[in-house]
Amino acid sequence: MTHHNLDNHAAAVAVLGLGPMGRALAAASLAAGHPTVLWNRSPAKASALVAQGAMLAPTVADAAQRASVVIACVMNYRAVRAILSGLERPPSGTFVNLSSGHAAEARDMADWAAQQGVSYLDGAILTPAPTIGTAAATILYSGPRALFDESLPWLESFGGSSAYLGADVGTAAAYEMALLDLFTMSVGGLAHAFALASTEGIAPTAFARFARGIGGLLPDMADRFAEQLTSGTFTADISTIASAASAVAHVRDAATAGGVDPAPLQAVQSIIERAVAAGHGGDSYARLARSLVPADPAEAAR
Ligand SMILES: NC(=O)c1ccc[n+]([C@@H]2O[C@H](COP(=O)([O-])OP(=O)(O)OC[C@H]3O[C@@H](n4cnc5c(N)ncnc54)[C@H](OP(=O)(O)O)[C@@H]3O)[C@@H](O)[C@H]2O)c1
């Protein structure tokens, strides 16, 4: 394939940003045989990849002019802006931002890119750096379909699933934020539960044996939430919001008694109690997702 020709800069991929994720993307691109141009604010991070055949560009502008697809993977959108503000002309190829942020930031960046004449695709990496280049990688993309299709031969080298979500450039970031919400709240729950168990002298390994089972409930619950939120029917076949209200009160008391910060439980308790006060105590947990969005016109109409 022509894009494997090392002399053909137009077929290269550029990776801007060489943190753990940028390095993983660059390594996967090299492993797939693509000419790979690198740039990082701290150039020393490129050395291992250069030893594997990547080319280190002296400036962002140089990297951006030498590739068909220019990937940015830095800490946040502010860093992307900082990098791009140094460019005097648009990148030669499609600019694909894989740095994390929320949907409005992606849309602002796309507006800015349009003003600069830059072809812009946004993406969100859902899996950790070690998955990149393996079947376990999942990366979401949104923005102009044609840009995704044209860039796919390069994006596919990152492995696993490259999912196109639609023309609204903010969609990939929106998914990333909601999934990070689930992840961070789950991690917070795990930390809180281990802390509470420790106040009663329960050994971490003994506790983990049963904690695993709670995590195992979530996949089926996600499907049930989806089904009920889609149908708008919150029949409680299993547990009601009222039963959750009583459970959270017990746990909060136990946390307070054990000297564990009850603040995370208070936050959940107030969400549950608002739903009960609004008359939804007999409904299933999925109703809580509706109650959290009081401005939702669908909710107001019910
Ligand atoms: N690591 C993962 O497993 C993972 C998983 C999913 C998503 N992500 C996302 O991927 C992105 C990159 O993550 P990461 O783990 O590689 O590391 P990171 O710590 O989030 O970002 C490090 C990179 O950002 C650069 N950077 C930060 N501020 C900058 C600025 N003002 N100007 C220019 N460059 C700047 C750093 O340059 P220097 O080297 O010069 O400091 C480095 O290249 C993040 O948005 C992260 O949320 C990461």
Side-chain angles (χ1 to χ4, degrees):
M1 287 164 74
T2 53
H3 61 258
H4 290 174
N5 180 347
L6 273 166
D7 297 327
N8 185 359
H9 286 157
V13 62
V15 178
L16 312 180
L18 295 175
M21 186 52 90
R23 292 199 298 274
L25 296 170
S29 171
L30 278 173
H34 299 303
T36 304
V37 182
L38 309 175
W39 178 85
N40 194 50
R41 183 178 61 176
S42 318
K45 288 186 186 165
S47 49
L49 290 158
V50 168
Q52 291 166 48
M55 296 163 274
L56 179 62
T59 61
V60 183
D62 186 67
Q65 292 309 318
R66 290 171 64 177
S68 297
V69 175
V70 179
I71 309 280
C73 189
V74 287
M75 189 175 282
N76 49 37
Y77 281 81
R78 210 169 328 118
V80 180
R81 287 270 177 144
I83 289 172
L84 288 181
S85 62
L87 291 181
E88 283 177 3
R89 55 190 173 124
S92 51
T94 297
F95 187 81
V96 185
N97 178 42
L98 295 182
S99 315
S100 297
H102 53 84
E105 291 180 291
R107 294 186 189 112
D108 283 352
M109 187 66 80
D111 288 346
W112 177 87
Q115 285 161 18
Q116 308 297 313
V118 176
S119 301
Y120 185 84
L121 192 65
D122 200 82
I125 305 172
L126 298 188
T127 52
T131 65
I132 301 302
T134 76
T138 302
I139 308 185
L140 309 180
Y141 295 94
S142 51
R145 170 101 223 185
L147 293 183
F148 173 74
D149 290 342
E150 284 161 26
S151 308
L152 197 54
W154 289 274
L155 304 179
E156 273 177 340
S157 63
F158 303 144
S161 152
S162 308
Y164 176 73
L165 300 179
D168 175 353
V169 75
T171 307
Y175 270 79
E176 183 187 13
M177 288 304 106
L179 290 164
L180 267 180
D181 186 355
L182 176 57
F183 184 71
T184 53
M185 299 276 270
S186 302
V187 171
L190 206 53
H192 204 272
F194 270 90
L196 184 56
S198 76
T199 66
E200 287 291 347
I202 299 172
T205 43
F207 186 64
R209 189 176 147 220
F210 295 101
R212 292 176 64 87
I214 304 288
L217 299 174
L218 287 177
D220 282 349
M221 283 183 81
D223 287 343
R224 209 158 44 243
F225 266 50
E227 198 183 295
Q228 295 199 337
L229 287 162
T230 304
S231 69
T233 311
F234 298 99
T235 310
D237 296 327
I238 302 175
S239 307
T240 63
I241 293 175
S243 68
S246 118
V248 75
H250 291 315
V251 186
R252 185 183 154 176
D253 288 350
T256 305
V260 177
D261 185 352
L265 291 163
Q266 283 161 354
V268 175
Q269 190 172 26
S270 81
I271 293 163
I272 291 171
E273 285 179 351
R274 265 201 325 266
V276 171
H280 303 310
D283 287 348
S284 64
Y285 295 162
R287 160 69 76 174
L288 294 172
R290 278 274 170 82
S291 305
L292 276 164
V293 193
D296 182 350
E299 174 72 5
R302 279 170 208 283

